[in-house]
Amino acid sequence: MPNPHFTLSGHSGHAIAALTEGPEQGFPVLLAHGGGQTKRAWKQVTAMLARHGFRAIALDLRGHGESAWADDGAYDIVDFAGDLVAIAGSLDRKPALIGASLGGLAGIMAEGEVAPGSFASLTLVDITPQMEAGGVTRVVGFMAAHAREGFASPDEAARVISEYLPHRPSRKASSGLAHYLRQKEDGRYYWHWDPAFIDGIMRRHAERGDGSDYGLGELGEAAARLALPVHLIRGGSSDLVSPEAVAHFRALVPHAAYSDIADATHMVSATRTTPLATRSSIS
């Protein structure tokens, strides 16, 4: 049986780690995770897609998981978008793209600005160009808090995650958490992504100030140019995408389909009902 783990070439040959599941000749579906996550975030979704005959290809975005880090700190949205375009172009047919948070923003920029026509469809999981400032601050704060000092143990990391996600039952470190941590020579555990990634986000966040309307710039302009089938999925309890942000997006992309997942937070891909909602965009 072929090894499901392999490496793809992103923009300028940047090494992107990937995991595939499903029949080789199945319709390809690229899955791009959110900031600070890895391809493992799509574990339930890739299994569902494979059962339905799709070829799911989950990516570790640059600087995340097992993908190469950017020595030059190239972690702008356009850099992630360039990787998605390069990977889509290497496949035998246009793939559908499902992007959560950072992966979704990269998808908007890829299709709306960098290389229109690269994808067969675009599913955005709890992300729009307009984001709530409070939600952005919360996500960025969580990622930055332990980016450089790490944790004394996986259980400490699990405790920090439980504090960040109080709606989930508290639990000790699981085997899955190991995929998000690296133990270094100092014995401490660090997130499985490049700290330079969050440094760049914090710098750009500070430059924008505290305004909540992030949809008036290039991401909003890129969204307005989307001509392919688009499906926006929002977590009903999301603190990043408000109903007003949804209305703003639907005005930009009037042909987009829309689903609201009741009781789901920004981490929608962990919700059991989400895969069923994503299917309408790629069938």
Side-chain angles (χ1 to χ4, degrees):
M1 182 177 178
N3 188 346
H5 297 269
F6 60 106
T7 301
L8 294 165
S9 292
H11 180 63
S12 297
H14 196 96
I16 301 294
L19 171 67
T20 187
E21 189 170 358
E24 183 72 23
Q25 300 306 315
F27 190 92
V29 182
L30 292 180
L31 299 112
H33 59 72
Q37 296 183 318
T38 72
K39 55 185 178 293
R40 183 179 172 81
W42 299 108
K43 185 177 179 180
Q44 294 182 46
V45 180
T46 56
M48 183 280 298
L49 290 170
R51 288 196 301 271
H52 286 87
F54 294 98
R55 181 190 178 201
I57 305 171
L59 309 173
D60 278 342
L61 298 182
R62 62 169 51 208
H64 290 70
E66 298 171 330
S67 289
W69 289 12
D71 294 335
D72 57 357
Y75 292 119
D76 288 342
I77 295 298
V78 70
D79 299 309
F80 293 102
D83 291 334
L84 295 180
V85 168
I87 290 168
S90 72
L91 302 177
D92 59 359
R93 48 183 158 167
K94 289 182 185 180
L97 174 63
I98 301 176
S101 200
L102 172 63
L105 294 178
I108 292 172
M109 185 60 68
E111 182 66 30
E113 173 66 28
V114 177
S118 293
F119 307 100
S121 65
L122 175 62
T123 298
L124 302 171
V125 183
D126 205 61
I127 195 66
T128 61
Q130 179 174 303
M131 293 170 274
E132 292 298 302
V136 173
T137 299
R138 181 171 175 267
V139 172
V140 172
F142 167 76
M143 294 183 66
H146 298 273
R148 296 195 179 277
E149 67 268 29
F151 306 94
S153 68
D155 280 341
E156 182 184 354
R159 178 183 57 77
V160 170
I161 293 173
S162 294
E163 292 172 353
Y164 175 64
L165 301 172
H167 61 283
R168 289 196 338 188
S170 297
R171 53 191 179 189
K172 292 188 176 182
S174 65
S175 59
L177 184 58
H179 293 270
Y180 294 95
L181 296 170
R182 293 178 176 178
Q183 186 177 23
K184 295 187 177 180
E185 293 181 358
D186 62 3
R188 293 183 66 80
Y189 293 82
Y190 298 84
W191 294 126
H192 214 317
W193 43 267
D194 186 353
F197 163 68
I198 195 64
D199 291 344
I201 290 180
M202 292 182 68
R203 182 180 66 253
R204 292 187 293 274
H205 184 51
E207 290 171 353
R208 281 195 298 255
D210 294 329
S212 63
D213 190 352
Y214 293 82
L216 298 180
E218 59 182 355
L219 276 166
E221 294 171 359
R225 290 191 290 268
L226 294 175
L228 77 176
V230 177
H231 187 177
L232 171 61
I233 299 172
R234 175 182 179 263
S237 299
S238 173
D239 63 350
L240 197 69
V241 177
S242 66
E244 292 75 20
V246 171
H248 174 262
F249 181 80
R250 298 184 78 180
L252 291 174
V253 193
H255 67 277
Y258 173 60
S259 298
D260 192 281
I261 308 300
D263 299 325
T265 64
H266 181 57
M267 311 295 284
V268 183
S269 59
T271 304
R272 293 180 61 87
T273 55
T274 301
L276 300 178
T278 63
R279 190 168 180 241
S280 64
S281 294
I282 57 179
S283 55

